[in-house]
Amino acid sequence: MRILVVNVNTTESMTEAIAASARSAASEGTDIVGLTPRFGADSCEGNFESYLAALGVMDAVTSYSEPYDAVVQAGYGEHGREGLQELLDVPVVDITEAAASTAMYLGHKYSVVTTLDRTVPLIEDRLKLAGLDGRCASVRASGLGVLELEAEPERAVAAIVAQARAAVEQDKAEVICLGCGGMAELEEAVSAATGVPIVDGVRAAVAIAEGLVRLGLSTSKVRTFAPPREKRITGWPIQAPDTTRQEI
Protein backbone atom coordinates (compact mmCIF):
# COMPACT_ATOMS: atom_id res chain seq x y z
CA MET A 1 0.00 0.00 0.00
CA ARG A 2 1.24 3.49 -0.82
CA ILE A 3 -0.14 6.64 0.85
CA LEU A 4 0.67 10.15 -0.32
CA VAL A 5 1.00 12.56 2.61
CA VAL A 6 0.83 16.08 1.23
CA ASN A 7 2.12 19.07 3.14
CA VAL A 8 0.03 22.20 2.51
CA ASN A 9 3.00 24.58 2.61
CA THR A 10 6.27 24.71 0.70
CA THR A 11 8.66 24.19 3.64
CA GLU A 12 10.54 20.99 2.81
CA SER A 13 11.77 20.40 6.37
CA MET A 14 8.16 20.40 7.57
CA THR A 15 7.23 17.89 4.85
CA GLU A 16 10.01 15.64 6.13
CA ALA A 17 8.78 15.91 9.73
CA ILE A 18 5.19 15.21 8.71
CA ALA A 19 6.25 12.20 6.64
CA ALA A 20 8.32 10.85 9.55
CA SER A 21 5.30 11.12 11.84
CA ALA A 22 3.16 9.38 9.25
CA ARG A 23 5.65 6.53 8.93
CA SER A 24 5.64 6.03 12.71
CA ALA A 25 1.91 5.24 12.52
CA ALA A 26 1.96 3.23 9.29
CA SER A 27 1.74 -0.53 9.24
CA GLU A 28 4.52 -2.73 7.94
CA GLY A 29 4.34 -2.76 4.16
CA THR A 30 2.79 0.71 3.87
CA ASP A 31 4.92 3.12 1.85
CA ILE A 32 4.57 6.77 2.92
CA VAL A 33 5.46 9.36 0.27
CA GLY A 34 5.74 12.96 1.46
CA LEU A 35 4.85 15.59 -1.14
CA THR A 36 5.58 19.32 -1.07
CA PRO A 37 3.60 21.66 -3.35
CA ARG A 38 5.70 23.27 -6.07
CA PHE A 39 4.09 26.64 -5.32
CA GLY A 40 2.43 28.31 -2.35
CA ALA A 41 3.31 29.95 0.96
CA ASP A 42 6.00 28.67 3.32
CA SER A 43 3.32 28.43 6.02
CA CYS A 44 -0.48 28.58 6.00
CA GLU A 45 -2.04 30.90 8.57
CA GLY A 46 -5.06 32.48 6.90
CA ASN A 47 -7.68 32.13 4.20
CA PHE A 48 -5.60 33.42 1.29
CA GLU A 49 -2.77 31.01 2.05
CA SER A 50 -5.24 28.19 2.67
CA TYR A 51 -6.94 28.60 -0.70
CA LEU A 52 -3.55 28.84 -2.36
CA ALA A 53 -2.56 25.65 -0.56
CA ALA A 54 -5.65 23.88 -1.89
CA LEU A 55 -4.49 24.54 -5.44
CA GLY A 56 -0.91 23.58 -4.62
CA VAL A 57 -1.99 20.30 -3.03
CA MET A 58 -4.24 19.36 -5.97
CA ASP A 59 -1.40 20.15 -8.36
CA ALA A 60 1.10 18.10 -6.34
CA VAL A 61 -1.16 15.06 -6.20
CA THR A 62 -2.29 15.11 -9.83
CA SER A 63 1.34 15.58 -10.93
CA TYR A 64 2.49 12.47 -9.04
CA SER A 65 3.01 9.78 -11.68
CA GLU A 66 3.30 6.55 -9.66
CA PRO A 67 0.37 4.42 -8.40
CA TYR A 68 -0.96 5.13 -4.90
CA ASP A 69 -3.83 3.93 -2.73
CA ALA A 70 -4.82 6.92 -0.56
CA VAL A 71 -4.02 10.58 0.09
CA VAL A 72 -3.62 12.41 3.41
CA GLN A 73 -4.00 16.19 3.27
CA ALA A 74 -1.69 17.31 6.07
CA GLY A 75 -2.97 20.80 6.84
CA TYR A 76 -5.13 21.63 9.86
CA GLY A 77 -8.24 23.55 8.87
CA GLU A 78 -7.08 24.03 5.27
CA HIS A 79 -9.32 24.06 2.23
CA GLY A 80 -9.11 21.60 -0.67
CA ARG A 81 -10.08 18.16 0.57
CA GLU A 82 -13.35 18.26 -1.38
CA GLY A 83 -11.53 19.07 -4.63
CA LEU A 84 -9.22 16.10 -4.17
CA GLN A 85 -12.21 13.87 -3.54
CA GLU A 86 -13.68 14.89 -6.88
CA LEU A 87 -10.41 14.36 -8.71
CA LEU A 88 -9.41 11.00 -7.23
CA ASP A 89 -10.90 7.54 -6.94
CA VAL A 90 -8.84 6.68 -3.83
CA PRO A 91 -9.64 7.67 -0.21
CA VAL A 92 -8.73 11.23 0.77
CA VAL A 93 -8.32 11.95 4.49
CA ASP A 94 -7.97 15.44 5.97
CA ILE A 95 -6.01 15.62 9.23
CA THR A 96 -8.48 18.03 10.86
CA GLU A 97 -11.35 15.62 10.48
CA ALA A 98 -9.17 12.59 11.23
CA ALA A 99 -8.01 14.03 14.56
CA ALA A 100 -11.47 15.15 15.69
CA SER A 101 -13.24 11.93 14.71
CA THR A 102 -10.55 9.87 16.46
CA ALA A 103 -10.80 12.03 19.60
CA MET A 104 -14.53 11.34 19.79
CA TYR A 105 -13.78 7.65 20.45
CA LEU A 106 -11.61 8.60 23.42
CA GLY A 107 -13.60 11.07 25.50
CA HIS A 108 -16.82 13.03 25.85
CA LYS A 109 -15.37 16.28 24.50
CA TYR A 110 -12.12 17.28 22.83
CA SER A 111 -10.23 20.54 22.35
CA VAL A 112 -7.87 21.61 19.58
CA VAL A 113 -4.64 23.47 20.33
CA THR A 114 -3.39 25.28 17.25
CA THR A 115 -0.97 28.03 16.24
CA LEU A 116 -2.06 31.66 15.78
CA ASP A 117 -5.42 33.00 16.94
CA ARG A 118 -6.36 33.97 13.37
CA THR A 119 -6.45 30.27 12.42
CA VAL A 120 -9.05 29.44 15.08
CA PRO A 121 -12.07 30.44 12.93
CA LEU A 122 -10.79 28.37 10.00
CA ILE A 123 -10.59 25.28 12.20
CA GLU A 124 -13.98 25.97 13.78
CA ASP A 125 -15.53 26.30 10.32
CA ARG A 126 -13.91 23.06 9.12
CA LEU A 127 -15.18 21.16 12.15
CA LYS A 128 -18.67 22.61 11.70
CA LEU A 129 -18.71 21.72 7.99
CA ALA A 130 -17.66 18.17 8.85
CA GLY A 131 -20.33 17.85 11.57
CA LEU A 132 -17.67 17.40 14.26
CA ASP A 133 -18.19 20.61 16.21
CA GLY A 134 -20.86 19.33 18.61
CA ARG A 135 -18.30 17.63 20.86
CA CYS A 136 -15.57 20.26 20.51
CA ALA A 137 -15.03 21.96 23.87
CA SER A 138 -12.76 24.66 22.44
CA VAL A 139 -10.20 25.64 19.84
CA ARG A 140 -7.26 27.37 21.53
CA ALA A 141 -4.31 29.24 20.01
CA SER A 142 -0.77 28.81 21.30
CA GLY A 143 0.22 32.19 19.83
CA LEU A 144 3.07 30.73 17.79
CA GLY A 145 3.37 30.82 14.02
CA VAL A 146 3.75 27.57 12.07
CA LEU A 147 7.45 28.14 11.34
CA GLU A 148 8.14 28.98 14.99
CA LEU A 149 7.12 25.44 15.95
CA GLU A 150 10.16 24.15 14.10
CA ALA A 151 12.54 27.01 14.91
CA GLU A 152 11.84 27.17 18.66
CA PRO A 153 10.76 23.67 19.78
CA GLU A 154 11.13 24.26 23.56
CA ARG A 155 9.04 27.43 23.43
CA ALA A 156 6.51 25.62 21.22
CA VAL A 157 6.09 22.77 23.68
CA ALA A 158 5.64 25.17 26.60
CA ALA A 159 3.01 27.23 24.76
CA ILE A 160 1.08 24.18 23.56
CA VAL A 161 1.20 22.54 26.99
CA ALA A 162 -0.13 25.72 28.62
CA GLN A 163 -3.13 25.86 26.30
CA ALA A 164 -3.75 22.12 26.55
CA ARG A 165 -3.83 22.35 30.35
CA ALA A 166 -6.27 25.26 30.15
CA ALA A 167 -8.48 23.28 27.76
CA VAL A 168 -8.62 20.35 30.21
CA GLU A 169 -9.02 22.40 33.39
CA GLN A 170 -11.22 25.26 32.16
CA ASP A 171 -13.03 23.93 29.08
CA LYS A 172 -13.45 20.38 30.46
CA ALA A 173 -11.85 18.73 27.44
CA GLU A 174 -10.97 15.07 27.91
CA VAL A 175 -8.88 14.70 24.74
CA ILE A 176 -6.52 17.16 23.02
CA CYS A 177 -6.01 17.36 19.25
CA LEU A 178 -2.77 18.93 18.03
CA GLY A 179 -4.03 21.52 15.56
CA CYS A 180 -1.17 21.77 13.07
CA GLY A 181 0.73 19.30 10.91
CA GLY A 182 3.90 20.91 12.23
CA MET A 183 3.06 19.72 15.75
CA ALA A 184 3.79 16.13 14.76
CA GLU A 185 5.46 14.07 17.48
CA LEU A 186 4.55 16.37 20.39
CA GLU A 187 2.01 13.90 21.80
CA GLU A 188 4.26 12.53 24.54
CA ALA A 189 5.17 15.90 26.05
CA VAL A 190 1.60 17.20 26.00
CA SER A 191 0.16 13.95 27.35
CA ALA A 192 2.64 13.92 30.23
CA ALA A 193 1.62 17.46 31.19
CA THR A 194 -2.16 16.97 30.94
CA GLY A 195 -2.82 13.30 31.64
CA VAL A 196 -5.28 13.03 28.73
CA PRO A 197 -5.04 11.31 25.31
CA ILE A 198 -3.35 13.43 22.65
CA VAL A 199 -4.27 12.98 18.99
CA ASP A 200 -1.91 13.98 16.20
CA GLY A 201 -3.92 14.42 13.02
CA VAL A 202 -1.22 13.09 10.70
CA ARG A 203 -0.90 9.79 12.53
CA ALA A 204 -4.68 9.46 12.91
CA ALA A 205 -5.18 10.17 9.21
CA VAL A 206 -2.70 7.48 8.19
CA ALA A 207 -4.47 4.89 10.35
CA ILE A 208 -7.86 5.86 8.89
CA ALA A 209 -6.52 5.84 5.32
CA GLU A 210 -5.03 2.37 5.80
CA GLY A 211 -8.32 1.11 7.22
CA LEU A 212 -10.34 2.47 4.31
CA VAL A 213 -7.99 0.89 1.78
CA ARG A 214 -8.11 -2.48 3.55
CA LEU A 215 -11.91 -2.32 3.65
CA GLY A 216 -12.00 -1.57 -0.06
CA LEU A 217 -13.80 1.74 0.54
CA SER A 218 -13.41 5.11 -1.11
CA THR A 219 -15.33 8.33 -1.78
CA SER A 220 -18.86 8.00 -3.14
CA LYS A 221 -19.06 9.34 -6.69
CA VAL A 222 -22.82 9.38 -7.21
CA ARG A 223 -23.40 13.05 -6.38
CA THR A 224 -21.38 15.48 -4.24
CA PHE A 225 -17.91 14.22 -5.17
CA ALA A 226 -18.61 13.06 -8.72
CA PRO A 227 -15.64 13.64 -11.07
CA PRO A 228 -15.38 17.15 -12.52
CA ARG A 229 -17.34 17.59 -15.74
CA GLU A 230 -15.25 17.66 -18.89
CA LYS A 231 -14.56 21.26 -19.85
CA ARG A 232 -11.73 23.49 -20.92
CA ILE A 233 -9.65 24.92 -18.05
CA THR A 234 -7.87 28.02 -19.27
CA GLY A 235 -4.37 28.81 -18.05
CA TRP A 236 -4.19 26.15 -15.33
CA PRO A 237 -2.41 22.77 -15.43
CA ILE A 238 -4.76 20.75 -13.21
CA GLN A 239 -6.89 18.31 -15.16
CA ALA A 240 -8.92 15.34 -13.96
CA PRO A 241 -6.40 12.46 -13.91
CA ASP A 242 -6.83 8.96 -15.23
CA THR A 243 -8.82 7.23 -12.48
CA THR A 244 -7.41 3.78 -13.20
CA ARG A 245 -5.12 2.93 -10.29
CA GLN A 246 -3.12 -0.15 -9.45
CA GLU A 247 -2.96 -1.33 -5.85
CA ILE A 248 0.53 -1.35 -4.37
Side-chain angles (χ1 to χ4, degrees), residues 56-67:
V57 166
M58 286 189 285
D59 176 67
V61 173
T62 57
S63 299
Y64 185 79
S65 60
E66 299 297 322

Side-chain angles (χ1 to χ4, degrees), residues 166-177:
V168 173
E169 295 169 4
Q170 299 173 26
D171 307 331
K172 306 307 178 185
E174 298 176 8
V175 184
I176 297 296
C177 296

